[in-house]
Amino acid sequence: MKVLLVGNGAREHIIAEQIARSAELYAIMSKKNPGIAELAQKFYLTNITNPEAVGLWAIKEDIDIAFVSPDVVLAAGVSDALENADIPIASPIKAAARIEWDKSYARSLMKKYAIKGSPNFEIVKTRKDALRVIKDLGQVAIKPIGLTGGKGVMVSGDHFGDIKDTMDYVCELLKKDKQVLIEEKIIGEEFSLQLFSDGKRISLMPPVQDHKRAYEFDLGPNTGGMGSYSTGKLLPFMCNDDLEKGRQISQAVIDALRKEDVEFKGVLYTQLMCTQDGVKLIEFNARFGDPEAINVLSLIKTQFVDILQSIVDENLSQVSFSEKPSVVKYLVPVGYPNKSIPDSEISIDKKKMWDSGAKYYYASVYENNGKIYTTNSRAVAVVGVNNSLENAEEKAEEAARCVHGPLWHRKDIGTYSLVQKRIENMGRLRA
Ligand code: AMP
Ligand code: GLY
């Protein structure tokens, strides 16, 4: 079976590994990911957001089933091009991925179908309205309407000191996008709930907690994600009802889309927050999280290609995972996220990595004369899976020591003290 994967990050590297377990991998990448290239039967370098280029190559290679992974590629309509070329596709078409690339659509859909869990919000088009909403809501989150690689959201108290700072950012976005989403700031602990959907049924993956802030103690700017952990079951600060509410919101949005004549097939990632008023929705993504994909795909027991086939055939059944803790850490270039120093050589001691039992996945790196170099983005993800969170974290740290070069990572992710802080925070809020 020939399976096409579109994308070239660390998330796609682990997807590639899953596909290659039971099928021939055909990969389309914008930059050569050395890990994916090694696993692929054949690969093609092109602009992956060009639907025509992807579609033509898929036809030429006689692809049996395709999986389109990154948000920008889904938003560009690459799944649609593959579908139009009669290639079975297990990823959302552009109209379904709109749930991610148009934040106002996601919020309006929730309102229309009375899906619970939305914070108070308003989409504004003028400075006057923005000021009124900000005064009305008090503490707010300001969100660009479109895709920003996880870096566009700014929050009162964290990024804005006062109304002037907030309005400066609002004006910047209004100038660019002509509209901006203003939400009530919600407080609590976040979790990522990823799930497979065949357009009707869903199958949940274990919840994961990502760490978006660049620096330890959750300080600094938002990033694409610095690392994540999962216990394989509930996260330590969650209760059963939080997961159930997350499941209900996710199923409700799949049902709402169907009522709008849009079938959501592929991976949905519902980003949620446990708050003192129950579970709230931060946003929907029409894809795996990165790094969260690495947690869940390290634990998946069902053959990935069989899941893709069942999405296409609309007969998805429950996917199984080992209930083991996992910790992912992203190694990023010096200066990341705002002043990254690119083009630095890095190397991995593969023998030592193998001996540690941990694994690594290449993210945004490039190869030149057999050597690996950094870009401005996250470079390598390492993952430790073990019988306890503490041991998984130690394993991830051991793996990080096997990667050499001018890189840094958050040492606190998955540690006892940080997880304990999260449990205490949630305890205080629930009390
Ligand atoms: P997003 O790009 O929507 O995933 O948002 C990035 C980060 O901003 C989230 O992970 C949250 O930490 C924060 N955030 C987004 N929306 C809100 C909100 N309404 N209240 C508080 N924080 C938020
Ligand atoms: N880890 C956050 C994201 O993939 O959007």
Side-chain angles (χ1 to χ4, degrees):
M1 192 164 179
K2 293 179 172 180
V3 180
L4 173 69
L5 170 66
V6 184
N8 44 260
R11 167 183 57 196
E12 287 76 28
H13 186 179
I14 192 164
I15 295 170
E17 191 179 74
Q18 286 296 324
I19 292 172
R21 284 173 63 189
S22 64
E24 284 182 1
L25 172 70
Y26 283 68
I28 303 191
M29 305 182 261
S30 55
K31 275 200 222 94
K32 182 176 151 190
N33 177 312
I36 299 177
E38 205 174 296
L39 291 162
Q41 188 79 16
K42 207 163 176 182
F43 66 87
Y44 173 48
L45 302 183
T46 187
N47 172 7
I48 57 175
T49 59
N50 179 342
E52 200 185 354
V54 174
L56 287 175
W57 194 71
I59 294 169
K60 181 171 145 255
E61 297 300 337
D62 205 10
I63 294 299
D64 294 305
I65 193 164
F67 187 76
V68 178
S69 176
D71 48 3
V72 286
V73 184
L74 294 163
V78 169
S79 302
D80 306 53
L82 292 164
E83 194 175 79
N84 293 338
D86 283 334
I87 292 164
I89 164 97
S91 304
I93 56 167
K94 185 171 177 179
R98 187 172 175 198
I99 197 87
E100 171 167 13
W101 57 258
D102 180 355
K103 283 193 164 108
S104 66
Y105 175 68
R107 289 288 180 217
S108 307
L109 199 69
M110 287 184 80
K111 205 169 187 174
K112 179 169 174 188
Y113 290 92
I115 301 172
K116 291 202 182 91
S118 210
N120 292 320
F121 73 95
E122 207 163 309
I123 298 146
V124 301
K125 297 198 164 108
T126 64
R127 293 161 64 149
K128 193 167 153 241
D129 280 345
L131 195 60
R132 174 184 51 77
V133 175
I134 291 166
K135 284 189 173 156
D136 202 30
L137 291 177
Q139 301 272 92
V140 291
I142 306 293
K143 302 188 169 188
I145 296 291
L147 300 175
T148 58
K151 293 165 197 139
V153 176
M154 302 264 214
V155 180
S156 303
D158 301 346
H159 308 101
F160 304 126
D162 55 23
I163 291 196
K164 187 190 166 299
D165 289 352
T166 316
M167 280 304 292
D168 284 350
Y169 188 51
V170 166
C171 293
E172 191 185 315
L173 294 178
L174 281 177
K175 217 171 180 178
K176 202 162 52 136
D177 303 333
K178 312 281 177 270
Q179 53 178 344
V180 58
L181 173 59
I182 306 181
E183 283 178 9
E184 150 201 19
K185 176 181 176 177
I186 46 176
I187 295 169
E189 285 298 332
E190 288 176 54
F191 67 100
S192 307
L193 186 58
Q194 301 168 101
L195 52 108
F196 295 103
S197 167
D198 64 2
K200 214 178 216 175
R201 273 166 291 239
I202 63 173
S203 176
L204 300 187
M205 308 184 216
V208 180
Q209 189 171 45
D210 184 20
H211 295 69
K212 294 221 172 214
R213 297 303 204 87
Y215 312 129
E216 278 164 33
F217 310 108
D218 292 321
L219 298 174
N222 277 326
T223 66
M226 294 298 292
S228 48
Y229 70 93
S230 168
T231 66
K233 299 179 254 190
L234 287 181
L235 289 161
F237 56 82
M238 286 173 70
C239 54
N240 278 320
D241 191 52
D242 298 329
L243 185 64
E244 177 51 24
K245 289 279 159 35
R247 192 192 64 73
Q248 286 170 9
I249 292 172
S250 307
Q251 182 71 62
V253 80
I254 298 283
D255 294 343
L257 283 167
R258 210 172 53 251
K259 285 182 196 139
E260 299 281 308
D261 282 332
V262 179
E263 268 197 329
F264 190 100
K265 287 181 157 192
V267 173
L268 177 71
Y269 153 14
T270 308
Q271 195 185 334
L272 300 148
M273 194 187 276
C274 301
T275 75
Q276 58 185 7
D277 305 318
V279 168
K280 302 275 182 193
L281 179 97
I282 302 270
E283 68 169 0
F284 293 110
N285 295 307
R287 52 171 176 84
F288 277 111
D290 188 353
E292 294 96 319
I294 300 172
N295 295 89
V296 294
L297 293 179
S298 297
L299 305 176
I300 199 162
K301 291 204 281 196
T302 313
Q303 283 288 354
F304 189 72
V305 172
D306 293 346
I307 304 169
L308 299 187
Q309 189 66 58
S310 71
I311 291 172
V312 168
D313 296 341
E314 297 178 14
N315 59 8
L316 178 70
S317 47
Q318 290 306 301
V319 174
S320 60
F321 295 85
S322 359
E323 292 188 346
K324 276 192 168 175
S326 60
V327 175
V328 178
K329 304 212 184 198
Y330 250 119
L331 311 186
V332 300
V334 168
Y336 179 85
N338 296 329
K339 289 183 184 151
S340 296
I341 300 177
D343 308 316
S344 306
E345 189 187 335
I346 60 166
S347 64
I348 299 180
D349 186 336
K350 293 183 182 164
K351 164 80 171 61
K352 214 167 130 202
M353 182 78 74
W354 174 267
D355 289 343
S356 77
K359 295 187 89 166
Y360 67 92
Y361 297 95
Y362 287 114
S364 191
V365 293
Y366 66 93
E367 220 176 359
N368 197 4
N369 287 331
K371 291 183 175 157
I372 309 277
Y373 296 87
T374 56
T375 68
N376 285 310
S377 299
R378 299 175 293 182
V380 179
V382 292
V383 56
V385 177
N386 217 325
N387 50 2
S388 72
L389 203 51
E390 203 175 345
N391 291 343
E393 194 274 334
E394 272 171 18
K395 219 175 193 185
E397 281 297 327
E398 207 177 325
R401 287 192 289 275
C402 302
V403 185
H404 304 290
L407 301 169
W408 64 276
H409 68 279
R410 273 185 63 168
K411 296 216 165 63
D412 59 345
I413 294 170
T415 57
Y416 175 79
S417 61
L418 188 59
V419 173
Q420 205 57 32
K421 222 176 92 187
R422 309 245 187 260
I423 297 171
E424 283 162 16
N425 186 32
M426 214 48 240
R428 257 193 315 273
L429 287 171
R430 288 194 212 275

